[in-house]
């Protein structure tokens, strides 16, 4: 990449959540391999982000590359309307098999946000097909993140989401406080009082409760008790409201279980998966629902959604290869090992003056600071340590590829300690 390239980038290209008139500096990456990013100037960074949680097997995994190459030769894409193909069937078979048993019907979409839109449409159509047109709203908790499209944005945290920017345009849903009980905290029924009361007052208006199970990701990197989720499931049954679990960030082993809902032994009516679905190679997501949901909708009509690139064979084929890697079961030991290494490596941050809290669950490590970070200075400082970590707000966090070695994990944690110690 030349200086001209970077100049063009600054002037003409929007990066996520950025300005083209006040651009932030971006890192020119030349190539990826394993757990490493190689920059144009030859610098090699240990990647703590797995490209926003996706590259769980590391970059350029030979099994994923060869699946993609093979599929490219025969059929990179074909429409899914009126047509089917083996990569989609194989993928949906695996998804039905690996998710909790009641989840039986799969809708393939292109991104996490769209999978969330689809889940909301399923919930709305479900109630309309049951002859109930009055239900229009969702109930959720604060500090959630479900994506950047309109339906998804409306259930993101009202403050750190984009509600003020889009006021008057977004649907208004019902919010209760984020779960206050940490992952390991002993259960007390008072933790669920507010949600229960909101259900009690609003259940006849609700199509569903939507939550990220156990880990709230981009809305605050918070971990909460499986008992909370268990109670939510019970209350949904009691009040006759559907439960949508957004496993887009947590799915495929990240929290130590294949799906985070397994921590609580609950099954949603509708589950969204995305991010790590293709091991970080292609964009793909899925919304999987129970037969109660799919059959109720289809007894009266059809499910109304159909993206152009739905069921893209290339993406499906790579996803199959990624799920086959997960099927070896190796991820489980890898994630448990990463959990231990992150605990050891980040523990020392607890003592630092800038730090409010350190928490680790599965292959997720979070150092929460007392004040929001200044990305203009912090990002280059992290790069100088030889690590790729992208903090937001008060959160310096890592979500490494599952294959990261103990040495690289130690290096990653040391880099974070060095940087946070200076704050
Ligand atoms: C990332 C994320 C999404 C949105 O996925 P995109 O692929 O970015 O549209 C939705 N829900 C959760 C929990 C996520 O982490």
């Amino acid at each position: 990449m030349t200086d001209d390239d970077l100049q063009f980038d600054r002037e003409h290209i929007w990066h996520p959540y950025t300005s083209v008139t006040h651009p932030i500096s971006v890192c020119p990456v030349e190539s990826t391999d394993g757990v490493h990013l190689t920059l144009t100037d030859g610098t090699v960074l240990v990647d703590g982000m797995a490209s926003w949680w996706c590259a769980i097997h590391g970059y350029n995994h030979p099994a994923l590359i060869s699946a993609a190459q093979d599929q490219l030769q025969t059929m990179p894409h074909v429409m899914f309307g009126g047509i089917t193909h083996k990569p989609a069937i194989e993928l949906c078979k695996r998804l039905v098999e690996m998710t909790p048993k009641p989840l039986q019907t799969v809708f393939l979409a292109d991104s996490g946000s769209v999978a969330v839109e689809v889940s909301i449409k399923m919930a709305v159509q479900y109630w309309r097909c049951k002859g109930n047109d009055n239900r229009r709203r969702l109930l959720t908790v604060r500090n959630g993140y479900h994506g950047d499209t309109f339906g998804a944005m409306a259930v993101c945290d009202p403050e750190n989401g984009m509600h003020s920017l889009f006021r008057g345009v977004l649907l208004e849903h019902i919010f209760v406080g984020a779960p206050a009980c940490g992952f390991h905290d002993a259960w007390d029924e008072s933790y669920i009082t507010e949600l229960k009361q909101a259900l009690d007052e609003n259940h006849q208006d609700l199509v569903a409760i939507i939550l990220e199970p156990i880990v709230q990701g981009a809305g605050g990197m918070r971990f909460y008790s499986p008992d909370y989720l268990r109670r939510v499931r019970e209350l949904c049954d009691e009040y006759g409201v559907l439960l949508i679990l957004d496993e887009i960030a947590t799915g495929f082993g990240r929290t130590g279980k294949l799906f985070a809902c397994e921590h609580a032994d609950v099954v949603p009516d509708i589950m969204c998966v995305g991010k790590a679905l293709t091991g970080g190679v292609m964009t793909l997501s899925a919304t999987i629902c129970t037969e109660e949901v799919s059959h109720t909708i289809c007894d009266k009509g059809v499910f109304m959604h159909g993206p152009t690139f739905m069921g893209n064979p290339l993406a499906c084929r790579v996803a199959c290869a990624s799920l086959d890697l997960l099927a070896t079961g190796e991820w489980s030991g890898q994630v448990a090992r990463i959990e231990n290494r992150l605990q050891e490596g980040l523990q020392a941050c607890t003592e630092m003056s800038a730090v409010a809290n350190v928490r680790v669950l599965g292959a997720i490590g979070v150092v929460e600071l007392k004040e929001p970070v200044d990305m203009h200075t912090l990002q280059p400082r992290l790069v100088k340590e030889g690590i790729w970590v992208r903090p937001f707000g008060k959160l310096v966090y890592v979500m490494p590829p599952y294959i990261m070695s103990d040495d690289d994990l130690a290096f990653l944690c040391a880099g974070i300690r060095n940087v946070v110690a200076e704050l």
Side-chain angles (χ1 to χ4, degrees):
M1 258 170 279
T2 62
D3 285 348
D4 278 354
D5 289 334
L6 295 176
Q7 175 87 10
F8 181 88
D9 184 296
R10 272 192 298 277
E11 289 171 359
H12 297 278
I13 308 180
W14 262 311
H15 287 261
Y17 318 109
T18 56
S19 157
V20 287
T21 50
H22 296 90
I24 52 154
S25 71
V26 288
C27 263
V29 175
E30 212 65 46
S31 64
T32 55
D33 189 43
V35 300
H36 296 120
L37 308 180
T38 302
L39 308 187
T40 302
D41 67 6
T43 307
V44 176
L45 303 180
V46 171
D47 178 24
M49 302 304 295
S51 282
W52 274 338
W53 332 47
C54 300
I56 54 177
H57 312 296
Y59 296 102
N60 308 24
H61 192 289
L64 306 190
I65 299 286
S66 108
Q69 280 170 339
D70 194 49
Q71 189 61 40
L72 266 174
Q73 304 295 329
T74 49
M75 183 170 63
H77 183 63
V78 67
M79 65 190 284
F80 210 48
I83 284 174
T84 197
H85 50 76
K86 194 80 172 168
I89 295 170
E90 284 296 324
L91 173 59
C92 294
K93 257 190 202 162
R94 284 166 176 75
L95 287 172
V96 166
E97 186 109 308
M98 76 197 298
T99 52
K101 199 143 188 261
L103 299 170
Q104 288 290 320
T105 314
V106 185
F107 189 97
L108 296 170
D110 323 315
S111 71
S113 301
V114 174
V116 169
E117 298 289 329
V118 164
S119 73
I120 296 170
K121 285 174 80 171
M122 278 179 189
V124 170
Q125 276 199 265
Y126 172 84
W127 287 109
R128 305 234 152 152
C129 290
K130 279 180 117 40
N132 190 328
D133 291 352
N134 297 326
R135 294 179 184 245
R136 287 170 194 187
R137 303 177 83 189
L138 291 149
L139 170 62
T140 189
V141 295
R142 287 177 184 270
N143 285 102
Y145 179 78
H146 297 284
D148 289 352
T149 52
F150 275 96
M153 254 198 307
V155 283
C156 289
D157 184 84
E159 270 161 45
N160 66 34
M162 293 168 263
H163 289 218
S164 56
L165 273 176
F166 293 95
R167 184 153 298 128
V169 183
L170 286 184
L171 287 174
E172 287 181 20
H173 295 303
I174 299 162
F175 288 84
V176 297
C181 41
F183 183 79
H184 295 287
D185 290 351
W187 180 246
D188 187 298
E189 191 63 13
S190 66
Y191 286 128
I192 202 80
T193 312
E194 193 192 355
L195 184 130
K196 189 174 176 183
Q197 190 175 343
L199 262 176
D200 202 52
E201 286 164 12
N202 300 289
H203 63 99
Q204 282 162 338
D205 301 330
L206 295 177
V207 293
I209 291 185
I210 182 166
L211 293 179
E212 295 157 279
I214 307 300
V215 174
Q216 295 187 286
M221 302 303 300
R222 299 164 55 97
F223 311 151
Y224 67 87
S225 163
D227 287 308
Y228 185 94
L229 193 56
R230 211 169 289 137
R231 288 295 288 129
V232 171
R233 176 71 271 185
E234 286 167 7
L235 290 168
C236 283
D237 291 338
E238 198 176 314
Y239 284 96
V241 171
L242 295 176
L243 177 60
I244 301 171
L245 290 183
D246 177 350
E247 291 261 10
I248 291 165
T250 50
F252 308 113
R254 183 55 69 180
T255 69
K257 302 278 187 188
L258 194 52
F259 296 100
C261 62
E262 295 170 18
H263 285 286
D265 220 0
V266 303
V267 182
D269 300 286
I270 306 173
M271 179 193 279
C272 304
V273 295
K275 286 198 163 84
L277 176 56
T278 68
V281 176
M282 301 287 299
T283 175
L284 186 70
S285 66
T287 308
I288 314 157
C289 70
T290 61
E291 280 187 353
E292 162 66 12
V293 171
S294 60
H295 288 197
T296 300
I297 293 170
C298 298
D299 284 348
K300 291 275 166 61
V302 297
F303 180 59
M304 284 305 282
H305 204 81
T308 307
F309 281 90
M310 181 168 181
N312 174 250
L314 189 51
C316 289
R317 183 70 185 276
V318 177
C320 287
S322 176
L323 298 186
D324 288 347
L325 290 175
L326 284 177
T328 65
E330 226 180 313
W331 64 269
S332 169
Q334 291 170 329
V335 170
R337 177 180 58 82
I338 294 173
E339 183 171 61
N340 289 331
R341 295 294 95 82
L342 291 178
Q343 229 136 27
E344 293 161 9
L346 298 176
Q347 196 52 45
C349 294
T350 318
E351 314 294 320
M352 296 175 187
S353 59
V355 174
N357 180 260
V358 175
R359 49 188 181 267
V360 175
L361 180 67
I364 310 170
V366 183
V367 178
E368 182 166 340
L369 306 173
K370 291 173 184 157
E371 301 294 333
V373 298
D374 175 6
M375 286 296 280
H376 288 278
T377 55
L378 199 65
Q379 188 77 83
R381 189 55 196 88
L382 289 159
V383 168
K384 204 158 155 245
E385 288 290 324
I387 60 178
W388 181 246
V389 175
R390 188 150 176 84
F392 68 93
K394 296 177 184 169
L395 301 163
V396 180
Y397 75 100
V398 289
M399 217 116 37
Y402 301 167
I403 59 158
M404 190 173 284
S405 69
D406 286 357
D407 283 351
D408 282 332
L409 285 164
F411 183 79
L412 183 63
C413 292
I416 292 175
R417 289 197 307 267
N418 293 343
V419 173
V420 172
E422 291 168 7
L423 297 172

